[in-house]
Amino acid sequence: MKAKIHVTLKQGILDPQGKAIEHALDSLGFQNAGNVRVGKYMEVDVNETDRAKADAQVKQMCEKLLANTVIEEYRYELG
Amino acid sequence: MKAKIHVTLKQGILDPQGKAIEHALDSLGFQNAGNVRVGKYMEVDVNETDRAKADAQVKQMCEKLLANTVIEEYRYELG
Amino acid sequence: MKSLVITQALLEQHKLSEDEYKKILEILGREPNWTELGMFSAMWSEHCSYKSSRIHLKKLPTTGPRVVQGPGENAGAVDIGDGLCAVFKMESHNHPSFIEPYQGAATGVGGILRDIFTMGARPIALLNSLRFGGLDNANTRHLLKGVVSGIAGYGNCMGVPTVGGEIVFNDIYALNPLVNVFCLGIARKDKIFLGKAAGVGNPVIYFGSKTGRDGIHGATMASDSFDEEAAQKRPTVQVGDPFTEKLLLEACLELMSGDCLVGIQDMGAAGLTSSACEMASREGTGVELELADVPRREPGMTPYEIMLSESQERMLMVAKAGREGEVIKICRKWDLDVAVIGRVTDTGKVVLKENGHIVAEIPAKALADDGPRYDRPSSPPAYQEMLQALNHDTLPDVKDANAALLALLDSPTIASKRWVYEQYDHMVRTNTMVRPGSDAAVLRVKGTNKALALSVDCNGRYCLLNPYEGAKIAIAECARNLACSGAEPIGVTDCLNFGNPQRPEVMWQFVLAIEGLKDACEALKVPIVSGNVSLYNETNDLSIYPTPMIGMVGLIEEADRTATQWFKQAGDVIVLLGRTREDLGGTEYLKVLHHREQGSPPLLNLEDEQAVQACTIRLIREGLVQSAHDCSDGGLAVALAECCVSGTDGRVGAVVELQLDGLRRDALLFGESQSRIVLSVKQEQVEKVLEVAMNAGVRASRIGTVGGSRLVIRVNGDQRAAGCTIDLDVTTVHERWALAIPRALGQD
Amino acid sequence: MNIGVVVFPGSNCDHDCEYIFKDVLGQSVKMIWHKDTLPAGLDAVVLPGGFSYGDYLRTGAIARFSPVMGGVKEFAREGRLVIGICNGFQILLEAGLLPGVMLRNTSLNFICKDVYVKVENAATRFTNRCESGQVLKIPIAHADGNYYTDPVTLAGVKANAQVIFRYCTADGKVTAEANPNGSLDNIAGIMNADGNVLGMMPHPERSAETVLGNEDGRLIFLSMLSAFGKSEQQSRLVGV
Ligand SMILES: Nc1ncnc2c1ncn2[C@@H]1O[C@H](COP(=O)(O)OP(=O)(O)O)[C@@H](O)[C@H]1O
Ligand SMILES: [Mg+2]
């Protein structure tokens, strides 16, 4: 099964990258682009046919390693 | 409109981050996780009601700045 | 102003005692509102008010002919000649780093950098002092990796080299790691900027990043102990943006090169509250601010949140009236948010308005200077005598000295820190003459013939066993590291990390440590010009070892008259300065090989120390030595091993002959007697060196020769068969020492 | 020689490059703010190291759009000398003045240390003072120095002798162990087909003075001066 995982900064946490990109877009002439937020997108193959088990594992991976839950949140789809 | 943009490494391009994560997952006991690929996920608000225009703009942002098309590919949804 | 029902719970939440609240009522002559309560809470926190430490800090020696700025400002400054000053300070970011190691450490670096460049100095060097638990713990490995990459991430991006530091691993720090960062900058003596709101009517200008809801009440958090519950709470973490800070740095220095600025201060702990009231209080003025004009990142922020936010990369300045335009232009050039948010007044008050309506009004001095001050009770802990009691007769002497040496070199506290400092850009700005890996880092000062040497040191275990002697040794060892590079110490900064001051035994440690710092600084004639106190370093009721971290700056008059610690040339003669005694108490040897942290720390005689250092500096200045290395953790054997294998251009062996002279073997090899320095000297200069030492009243003994591919240390002429001699291939020695930390981390 | 050093927001080694050219080699140096245009009369442009735009998004990705870059491209097209060091190299790649991209170091860590590089082509305007095959000790300091390009481009670059430096051992062997960051083919520096634009990850300005213990990097700058027709004697050498 393939897990598609999105890790993004929690609401209210400063996103320096997003800020810099927004600024760059602006000076490139995309004045109507705003509110840029940057996160990570990961794909992981999970060698597991049982959906519930795979789900539990991906959740654990996120909690333990893929997301820094102090400042980030995550969501994923299994497919 | 909000654009949700995924920028990922093209197939065949070495992904040092993905490799490192795979290794880390392995030593955390997730032996059945493999083939980890890491990309970027960005959200951009586009102040534009015309869907076609917004689409053209986001495409341009990706081509010009958000992705390096030598090694990366991008896809996005508008919503 | 809205009225508020002040409840017990509300006060507790704000960490204000009932007496403190009474004092607030007295000052205001009325009940505070929510915003005012928050401002008092932040400014009267331990972190900002130094309420438990202030009366003791007064005892420290802070003056001297070179002192240009002592404690009280953003950083201290000492004169280095040529019209220049060295501006430096050290600060802690312990609690934030435990919660989120990367961002905690990164924002710690950001904070100390701002302290330096607000003084008008360009930062040229960073150092860091770190304490972690043992590396066999997975969480400690996670903390170490996070902290090191956080320091690297911020410092590297700023283009300020991280040229040195120290790390100690001890389980006592497992749930309360220490992250102390030191920064040094260079300023022109006549262009030092201070944090003062002078000139009634002058504009108060905000610039840097926008204000968000980050780290509200960080100062109060730093004044609290940790327990499991606090770890759960995880307040909004501050995220650092080194890129914006780099712009802030360049913009500040550009602003300061003109004459439009009157005063400037960074928004560190307690954010806008502290910068506003401190700037006014220092000058005896007041400020009036319009909060609606403060640049904000999030909608709907209340005055309380705006005043207490600890968003990073922000500054407050006072400019000359009518010069706002120039200031704004420079800030805009660097793409920084900037806004005139108020004026300097003559009311002595901090007055805050929101769209013209007053939302808070407090005398500036009451917030900044009239906070509570406590002379907290102090008494030695019940276990102190037990800790100090160490009966040497119960310790078997070393049998296999080879194995003992290898075990010590494998101890992460002693091992090479290359894994750490390779992640730090330690060369940017092209001043680094001696990189991390020697006793002190040495940086040339461009435009002069001079160089500065920098070192940070503290042995917390010594301080636990005897806070007075331990603190003395911290100063002495730091100065000794500088002496080994030929530098004369000219100024000290400190970061006093202790446990909960409401425990009498912690106060006892604190008070004695201050005495030790004072005596040592006076003897070595070096003033303390800045510093920081971090209390409440305790988790689940367990306090850290008292850890008064010392950062010291030394001056080398001629940059090319310096030395490094490693042996240079086969055939050179090894000379030991100083005397070896039976000092086993509190040693790394005792911990690693006997699993005991006990005894009395080594004796330190300040006169002997002074003599050894002066002698070493003189020898280096006269070009008489090839290398100089002090003996610290692990004693003489470890120092010799480091001389053999720490060189940047390869390794070399040595053959050394020692005499017991009535000492135990382990004390001779691994004891940590103070005031000892290992020199290597060209054959033809040995006589001269011994003569200089004799005239200086320093014991100097020829103990061996550099060369070969083995490190051989023979005691009383014994042979390997006796099992006591050290005889190891330098490749083995190197491998053990160089790879210990990566090996310990490889367990993941 | 008239040198222009471009200052991007986040440039860190701009002062270091200025110091080498001006204070050590006695040349005239202009610092050029990235929002300005290139002044007339420059003989060479330096894109210095650092973290332009914080290295956010990708290294060099935002800086390549700085207003000054149009002028830099024009300057390069005219065949004049452009050198990009570290972040400057990354910017040249993103700007398309040199082929390829930089990936994260395989260790994922920032690495600061001395490395050895082998001069693969000494017949260039940046290396004419070196011997072919000479080994130079020059420090690196980067997190994204893992050079990558597609096989076709790589073949072209090699065939054209555009690979200028390769990471190697102290005795000049180009091995995997000597590769600090995973760079394709141990590539540490390349130039364009016309031979007037050089990008290199190691920092020659950090190893060009005796007081810093190493002068190998100086050869790069001296080569540029030679290429410009000045001998070492003519350029006022300030002995440091
Ligand atoms: N956290 C660190 N950051 C940078 N350099 C470090 C760090 N820890 C240790 N070092 C460097 O490693 C070398 C050895 O450190 P240490 O064993 O503490 O020396 P000493 O005992 O002489 O004080 C020094 O050059 C020091 O600057
Ligand atoms: Mg030392």
Side-chain angles (χ1 to χ4, degrees):
Chain A
M1 250 179 261
K2 195 189 257 335
K4 299 184 172 183
I5 306 165
H6 288 84
V7 177
T8 49
L9 285 169
K10 285 184 181 166
Q11 205 55 44
I13 299 270
L14 177 75
D15 179 2
Q17 278 213 78
K19 211 169 85 176
I21 294 173
E22 191 171 320
H23 191 83
L25 284 173
D26 194 71
S27 52
L28 279 177
F30 298 103
Q31 274 89 2
N32 58 356
N35 223 347
V36 181
R37 303 284 287 175
V38 181
K40 275 180 233 132
Y41 170 69
M42 285 168 275
E43 294 184 351
V44 181
D45 285 351
V46 185
N47 190 358
E48 173 63 69
T49 44
D50 181 322
R51 199 181 178 80
K53 275 197 195 146
D55 191 277
Q57 282 192 8
V58 174
K59 193 175 155 77
Q60 261 199 48
M61 290 178 201
C62 290
E63 288 282 338
K64 275 191 146 164
L65 181 73
L66 304 181
N68 174 355
T69 52
V70 180
I71 51 174
E72 294 171 329
E73 53 198 12
Y74 61 88
R75 63 192 158 82
Y76 57 85
E77 300 138 42
L78 271 173
Chain B
M1 248 178 264
K2 194 188 259 332
K4 299 184 172 183
I5 306 165
H6 289 82
V7 177
T8 48
L9 284 171
K10 284 183 182 166
Q11 210 52 48
I13 305 270
L14 177 79
D15 177 4
Q17 253 177 307
K19 263 207 154 148
I21 292 178
E22 198 170 313
H23 186 79
L25 283 174
D26 194 69
S27 55
L28 280 175
F30 298 104
Q31 275 88 3
N32 57 357
N35 220 349
V36 181
R37 304 285 289 174
V38 181
K40 285 181 208 119
Y41 171 70
M42 286 171 271
E43 294 185 352
V44 181
D45 284 351
V46 185
N47 191 357
E48 173 62 69
T49 42
D50 182 321
R51 202 179 177 83
K53 275 196 195 149
D55 192 277
Q57 282 193 9
V58 174
K59 194 175 154 77
Q60 259 199 48
M61 291 179 202
C62 290
E63 287 283 338
K64 265 192 137 167
L65 179 69
L66 302 181
N68 180 338
T69 50
V70 177
I71 46 165
E72 294 171 328
E73 53 198 13
Y74 62 88
R75 63 191 160 83
Y76 57 85
E77 302 138 40
L78 272 172
Chain C
M1 282 182 235
K2 259 177 273 159
S3 71
L4 179 77
V5 188
I6 305 282
T7 60
Q8 192 62 38
L10 192 62
L11 290 181
E12 257 166 42
Q13 209 185 330
H14 283 83
K15 304 257 150 29
L16 288 164
S17 73
E18 232 165 286
D19 283 343
E20 288 167 354
Y21 182 61
K22 277 194 198 125
K23 201 167 163 195
I24 294 175
L25 290 179
E26 244 169 68
I27 288 167
L28 293 180
R30 60 175 165 82
E31 291 217 324
N33 64 26
W34 180 246
T35 305
E36 290 165 338
L37 189 69
M39 291 167 73
F40 273 110
S41 159
M43 290 308 296
W44 286 11
S45 68
E46 186 68 59
H47 189 77
C48 290
S49 74
Y50 290 82
K51 56 189 167 193
S52 307
S53 58
R54 215 175 229 184
I55 62 164
H56 303 290
L57 293 176
K58 284 218 183 77
K59 299 175 210 154
L60 295 174
T62 59
T63 55
R66 288 186 184 271
V67 176
V68 174
Q69 178 64 56
E73 276 288 341
N74 288 312
V78 293
D79 194 334
I80 59 167
D82 295 295
L84 300 176
C85 279
V87 177
F88 54 93
K89 186 175 192 285
M90 178 144 61
E91 205 158 74
S92 67
H93 236 211
N94 305 338
H95 289 87
S97 302
F98 183 52
I99 293 172
E100 211 304 282
Y102 184 96
Q103 295 296 345
T107 51
V109 173
I112 193 69
L113 281 162
R114 282 194 299 284
D115 277 334
I116 301 308
F117 67 76
T118 40
M119 299 279 293
R122 179 175 281 283
I124 63 161
L126 288 162
L127 289 89
N128 55 95
S129 281
L130 312 176
R131 296 291 181 278
F132 295 100
L135 283 175
D136 47 355
N137 176 315
N139 192 50
T140 292
R141 297 194 292 274
H142 162 75
L143 289 172
L144 172 67
K145 288 178 186 169
V147 164
V148 169
S149 54
I151 292 172
Y154 210 103
N156 296 350
C157 185
M158 285 293 291
V160 179
T162 300
V163 296
E166 51 146 18
I167 312 186
V168 171
F169 299 90
N170 188 306
D171 286 338
I172 198 76
Y173 301 102
L175 294 175
N176 201 315
L178 301 184
V179 176
N180 292 182
V181 274
F182 166 103
C183 183
L184 176 136
I186 300 283
R188 286 190 39 182
K189 196 178 163 186
D190 57 2
K191 282 289 251 178
I192 291 208
F193 283 80
L194 301 178
K196 52 182 189 180
V200 173
N202 279 338
V204 177
I205 304 176
Y206 170 115
F207 76 115
S209 284
K210 293 185 168 69
T211 297
R213 289 192 173 94
D214 338 40
I216 289 177
H217 270 318
T220 331
M221 177 182 86
S223 312
D224 198 6
S225 312
F226 262 108
D227 51 30
E228 260 124 51
E229 208 181 306
Q232 295 301 316
K233 265 192 249 157
R234 284 189 169 154
T236 329
V237 173
Q238 307 151 49
V239 170
D241 179 359
F243 170 57
T244 297
E245 177 125 321
K246 167 74 173 160
L247 303 182
L248 204 56
L249 160 67
E250 298 300 338
C252 272
L253 295 181
E254 192 171 329
L255 282 165
M256 289 163 165
S257 67
D259 68 344
C260 54
L261 283 196
V262 172
I264 180 164
Q265 176 153 345
D266 81 298
M267 293 188 221
L272 189 50
T273 298
S274 68
S275 48
C277 73
E278 285 175 7
M279 286 182 82
S281 175
R282 283 197 195 104
E283 194 61 24
T285 54
V287 291
E288 187 176 307
L289 307 181
E290 173 50 76
L291 298 185
D293 294 333
V294 171
R296 272 170 270 184
R297 207 168 74 223
E298 293 174 66
M301 289 185 69
T302 63
Y304 182 96
E305 290 172 323
I306 294 171
M307 292 310 291
L308 295 176
S309 157
E310 293 192 0
S311 287
Q312 299 289 297
E313 294 92 23
R314 302 179 301 158
M315 291 275 183
L316 197 65
M317 63 189 157
V318 171
K320 290 182 182 160
R323 309 284 294 273
E324 294 87 341
E326 271 167 71
V327 172
I328 289 171
K329 191 170 158 221
I330 290 176
C331 293
R332 294 253 162 88
K333 169 184 166 188
W334 292 97
D335 291 329
L336 294 166
D337 274 295
V338 54
V340 176
I341 62 166
R343 300 266 149 201
V344 177
T345 66
D346 60 2
T347 62
K349 287 181 178 174
V350 175
V351 177
L352 307 177
K353 294 183 174 172
E354 194 179 32
N355 300 313
H357 301 293
I358 293 185
V359 293
E361 185 169 0
I362 308 177
K365 200 162 160 294
L367 272 177
D369 295 320
D370 298 344
R373 218 147 287 186
Y374 298 121
D375 187 359
R376 298 198 186 272
S378 86
S379 59
Y383 51 77
Q384 195 68 25
E385 266 177 44
M386 206 182 69
L387 271 180
Q388 286 180 346
L390 173 71
N391 182 354
H392 288 191
D393 298 340
T394 64
L395 294 176
D397 200 343
V398 62
K399 288 213 185 60
D400 186 345
N402 270 341
L405 176 61
L406 290 176
L408 281 169
L409 293 171
D410 197 35
S411 161
T413 296
I414 287 181
S416 166
K417 309 301 185 300
R418 175 181 294 271
W419 178 87
V420 175
Y421 61 70
E422 254 183 25
Q423 297 185 50
Y424 301 150
D425 189 338
H426 46 261
M427 298 182 233
V428 60
R429 300 207 68 75
T430 59
N431 296 319
T432 314
M433 295 172 55
V434 178
R435 302 175 187 178
S438 195
D439 282 318
V442 178
L443 291 101
R444 65 150 158 206
V445 181
K446 282 186 182 140
T448 75
N449 286 326
K450 298 187 169 109
L452 294 173
L454 310 173
S455 177
V456 285
D457 282 287
C458 177
N459 186 318
R461 185 164 52 231
Y462 291 175
C463 296
L464 171 78
L465 300 174
N466 185 330
Y468 173 78
E469 290 294 331
K472 255 171 64 185
I473 290 174
I475 294 282
E477 187 187 341
C478 212
R480 201 183 312 136
N481 279 321
L482 301 182
C484 287
S485 64
E488 166 212 350
I490 57 170
V492 173
T493 181
D494 63 52
C495 192
L496 308 177
N497 306 273
F498 286 77
N500 179 349
Q502 299 182 37
R503 295 180 192 279
E505 65 272 20
V506 169
M507 272 322 284
W508 177 81
Q509 293 169 335
F510 187 80
V511 173
L512 281 183
I514 295 274
E515 294 292 336
L517 297 181
K518 169 176 174 281
D519 288 352
C521 285
E522 280 172 355
L524 299 178
K525 296 188 187 58
V526 52
I528 296 183
V529 296
S530 60
N532 177 244
V533 178
S534 170
L535 300 177
Y536 295 97
N537 288 292
E538 82 173 353
T539 303
N540 300 335
D541 293 339
L542 187 62
S543 284
I544 58 160
Y545 289 172
T547 315
M549 224 78 90
I550 297 304
M552 203 178 293
V553 179
L555 184 64
I556 299 171
E557 290 288 346
E558 301 200 38
D560 57 350
R561 294 305 167 106
T562 183
T564 47
Q565 72 177 32
W566 47 89
F567 292 148
K568 303 291 181 306
Q569 182 84 51
D572 287 349
V573 174
I574 304 169
V575 173
L576 175 66
L577 299 184
R579 182 187 299 269
T580 306
R581 301 187 174 85
E582 191 158 300
D583 287 312
L584 286 172
T587 58
E588 191 70 12
Y589 165 77
L590 206 59
K591 173 171 189 275
V592 172
L593 289 132
H594 294 277
H595 312 290
R596 290 163 83 163
E597 301 189 64
Q598 231 189 342
S600 284
L603 197 81
L604 175 72
N605 178 315
L606 285 166
E607 270 167 46
D608 292 349
E609 182 69 48
Q610 162 79 36
V612 165
Q613 290 186 21
C615 173
T616 305
I617 293 171
R618 165 143 186 234
L619 290 170
I620 293 172
R621 287 196 178 159
E622 292 183 8
L624 292 172
V625 306
Q626 295 270 73
S627 72
H629 185 25
D630 81 309
C631 293
S632 58
D633 296 352
L636 181 57
V638 165
L640 287 165
E642 288 171 343
C643 289
C644 291
V645 300
S646 62
T648 43
D649 290 313
R651 319 177 252 288
V652 60
V655 178
V656 173
E657 302 269 355
L658 301 174
Q659 296 304 316
L660 278 176
D661 283 337
L663 285 177
R664 293 165 59 109
R665 286 174 194 272
D666 51 8
L668 176 64
L669 292 170
F670 308 116
E672 296 177 7
S673 293
Q674 296 295 300
S675 316
R676 292 182 301 166
I677 290 174
V678 175
L679 306 175
S680 68
V681 177
K682 282 189 183 146
Q683 187 80 47
E684 61 269 27
Q685 283 170 332
V686 176
E687 290 311 318
K688 177 88 185 131
V689 166
L690 296 178
E691 189 191 315
V692 169
M694 198 173 75
N695 293 339
V698 171
R699 171 195 276 232
S701 12
R702 241 180 121 122
I703 58 169
T705 315
V706 176
S709 63
R710 303 186 74 78
L711 170 61
V712 178
I713 305 177
R714 269 188 222 111
V715 176
N716 282 9
D718 59 8
Q719 298 301 316
R720 179 76 188 93
C724 304
T725 303
I726 288 173
D727 184 355
L728 292 162
D729 194 309
V730 285
T731 313
T732 309
V733 173
H734 178 262
E735 193 276 341
R736 195 56 77 94
W737 172 81
L739 298 180
I741 289 182
R743 215 168 15 239
L745 289 173
Q747 296 163 0
D748 290 83
Chain D
M1 202 170 176
N2 289 314
I3 313 282
V5 176
V6 177
V7 183
F8 296 98
S11 288
N12 283 337
C13 307
D14 46 343
H15 294 147
D16 302 353
C17 290
E18 177 187 28
Y19 188 81
I20 280 297
F21 276 109
K22 191 155 99 193
D23 299 270
V24 179
L25 299 172
Q27 306 302 306
S28 116
V29 176
K30 279 207 177 73
M31 304 304 277
I32 303 158
W33 181 235
H34 77 119
K35 287 181 189 166
D36 296 339
T37 47
L38 275 195
L42 292 181
D43 304 311
V45 167
V46 182
L47 304 190
F51 285 70
S52 60
Y53 291 95
D55 271 0
Y56 297 145
L57 190 61
R58 296 181 309 277
T59 57
I62 303 180
R64 76 171 250 234
F65 292 110
S66 278
V68 75
M69 285 305 291
V72 171
K73 281 186 186 170
E74 191 54 40
F75 190 82
R77 205 170 303 133
E78 288 164 7
R80 286 185 282 174
L81 294 184
V82 176
I83 178 170
I85 299 167
C86 198
N87 190 232
F89 185 10
Q90 294 162 340
I91 296 170
L92 289 172
L93 294 173
E94 281 280 343
L97 283 166
L98 291 173
V101 295
M102 285 297 173
L103 303 175
R104 283 297 289 278
N105 296 346
T106 39
S107 70
L108 299 189
N109 283 340
F110 189 96
I111 304 170
C112 177
K113 64 173 187 185
D114 279 329
V115 298
Y116 295 97
V117 294
K118 187 173 174 187
V119 178
E120 296 288 358
N121 180 349
T124 80
R125 293 156 77 184
F126 303 95
T127 50
N128 56 63
R129 300 290 293 267
C130 308
E131 308 283 328
S132 170
Q134 187 174 349
V135 175
L136 307 177
K137 182 163 107 179
I138 306 184
I140 54 166
H142 61 246
D144 303 79
N146 182 351
Y147 180 80
Y148 174 83
T149 190
D150 63 88
V152 178
T153 310
L154 180 66
V157 164
K158 282 160 102 169
N160 252 329
Q162 285 169 247
V163 176
I164 309 302
F165 303 112
R166 276 203 171 86
Y167 299 111
C168 66
T169 59
D171 54 358
K173 293 198 187 70
V174 178
T175 65
E177 296 74 58
N179 187 338
N181 50 29
S183 207
L184 198 61
D185 239 28
N186 281 41
I187 286 175
I190 55 170
M191 67 177 188
N192 64 346
D194 292 339
N196 65 316
V197 179
L198 172 75
M200 64 189 294
M201 287 315 288
H203 285 272
E205 78 280 13
R206 297 184 182 187
S207 52
E209 298 174 75
T210 37
V211 67
L212 302 179
N214 179 358
E215 288 189 279
D216 285 5
R218 193 169 181 143
L219 290 172
I220 315 290
F221 304 117
L222 292 177
S223 296
M224 290 172 70
L225 298 193
S226 297
F228 194 69
K230 294 225 166 108
S231 72
E232 196 170 348
Q233 288 82 354
Q234 280 171 286
S235 66
R236 185 175 58 85
L237 276 177
V238 181
V240 181

